[in-house]
Amino acid sequence: MKALFILLLLAASPLFAQTPLDRIEKTDLSFIEGNVIKITEEHIEYKHANNLEGPVYTIAKNQVSAITYSNGFREEIKAVTSAPPTTPPAQANSATQATSYSQNQPNYHPTINTQAAKYENSNPREPLLAGVLSLIIPGAGQVYNKQYGKGIAMFGANVVSWVLAANSAYNTYDYDALYSGYYEEPNTTGTFVWMGLAVATNLYSVIDAAVSANKINERYGLISHLKVEPQTQFVLHGNQLQPTWGAKLTYSLR
């Protein structure tokens, strides 16, 4: 009887024996037990411990931190991100290029025209226009550049200079002496000084407006180009060709 019991126990022992399992440790600190079948560059194939004879499961390598095998060896897992597949030029078309990648994909790198983006997001100024505005009205070019305080100061300084020049010219002559027949050479130094200061503030306003506009553009990578090209043309007068000279002014902002 005892021998029969031992034979039955030996026959049933494979049913109770526990198969050694591998442990797949995930990045979220959970784990999966089973048998690792295959490890590729992008995923890991395994069979789950609940059904070792069942289907093969797959898990991405970037979700796994390490694998502890049944023999106790522990392997750290490092996921390798592969480059997106490229379409041969002969097979590429506008439809496939438009739908190949989306912004949700990790390797999506849209191409941006940085120059166009700079111009679109900037508020460029025309230095030539700024200078002309300040030539007409001192300080107007600064206001065009949104430098309102400087523009008001330029306009005020110019107006005050012209007012003082006019007042100096008025006070130059002794009108009582003129009425009595006495003439004295007037001193016009003060008048010319104030007139010169008025002209100087006007010119400074023109130069400052153009330079400031160019500096504003440089902040966005935009450069102003002003070029003067001499030109010569021949015009027919009667039976003779006579040369005429001129100049071509070109301006660009890029």
Side-chain angles (χ1 to χ4, degrees):
M1 185 70 181
K2 184 177 180 182
L4 179 61
F5 177 76
I6 294 175
L7 290 175
L8 292 174
L9 183 61
L10 292 175
S13 60
L15 298 176
F16 297 97
Q18 184 176 3
T19 303
L21 299 175
D22 304 323
R23 173 176 290 210
I24 302 173
E25 300 176 12
K26 300 174 64 176
T27 55
D28 60 359
L29 303 182
S30 62
F31 64 90
I32 301 172
E33 288 188 338
N35 286 340
V36 176
I37 305 299
K38 183 180 180 181
I39 300 178
T40 67
E41 291 185 357
E42 297 180 355
H43 61 269
I44 299 171
E45 298 179 4
Y46 67 96
K47 288 191 175 184
H48 201 277
N50 294 335
N51 188 7
L52 295 177
E53 302 298 328
V56 176
Y57 296 90
T58 301
I59 184 172
K61 284 183 75 173
N62 57 11
Q63 298 180 10
V64 178
S65 60
I67 298 176
T68 302
Y69 296 97
S70 58
N71 60 1
F73 176 73
R74 178 182 173 84
E75 180 183 3
E76 300 290 337
I77 302 299
K78 295 182 180 180
V80 178
T81 304
S82 60
T86 57
T87 304
Q91 300 178 2
N93 53 62
S94 59
T96 58
Q97 290 176 356
T99 59
S100 294
Y101 305 103
S102 66
Q103 294 184 1
N104 295 326
Q105 293 178 338
N107 294 321
Y108 175 76
H109 298 289
T111 302
I112 301 176
N113 187 335
T114 55
Q115 193 68 15
K118 285 181 180 180
Y119 194 90
E120 181 180 356
N121 298 327
S122 64
N123 191 6
R125 296 296 168 197
E126 299 289 346
L128 188 61
L129 177 59
V132 171
L133 290 175
S134 283
L135 180 63
I136 299 173
I137 302 176
Q142 283 73 19
V143 174
Y144 167 74
N145 292 335
K146 295 186 178 181
Q147 298 173 324
Y148 303 109
K150 186 187 293 186
I152 294 173
M154 294 286 183
F155 179 78
N158 189 262
V159 170
V160 169
S161 297
W162 282 114
V163 169
L164 292 176
N167 183 68
S168 178
Y170 178 79
N171 294 328
T172 297
Y173 295 94
D174 188 354
Y175 296 98
D176 293 335
L178 291 175
Y179 291 144
S180 61
Y182 176 75
Y183 176 76
E184 184 178 352
E185 187 69 25
N187 184 7
T188 58
T189 302
T191 303
F192 287 112
V193 168
W194 290 115
M195 288 180 62
L197 184 60
V199 173
T201 55
N202 197 346
L203 293 178
Y204 179 78
S205 177
V206 172
I207 297 172
D208 178 77
V211 172
S212 298
N214 197 45
K215 289 182 178 179
I216 292 173
N217 294 334
E218 289 178 353
R219 296 176 187 172
Y220 302 97
L222 303 174
I223 301 175
S224 304
H225 297 274
L226 182 63
K227 182 167 61 175
V228 179
E229 299 177 348
Q231 291 184 336
T232 303
Q233 296 181 349
F234 291 89
V235 181
L236 182 63
H237 291 279
N239 296 327
Q240 295 182 351
L241 288 175
Q242 295 183 358
T244 58
W245 291 273
K248 179 181 178 182
L249 180 67
T250 57
Y251 172 77
S252 63
L253 179 65
R254 61 179 183 272

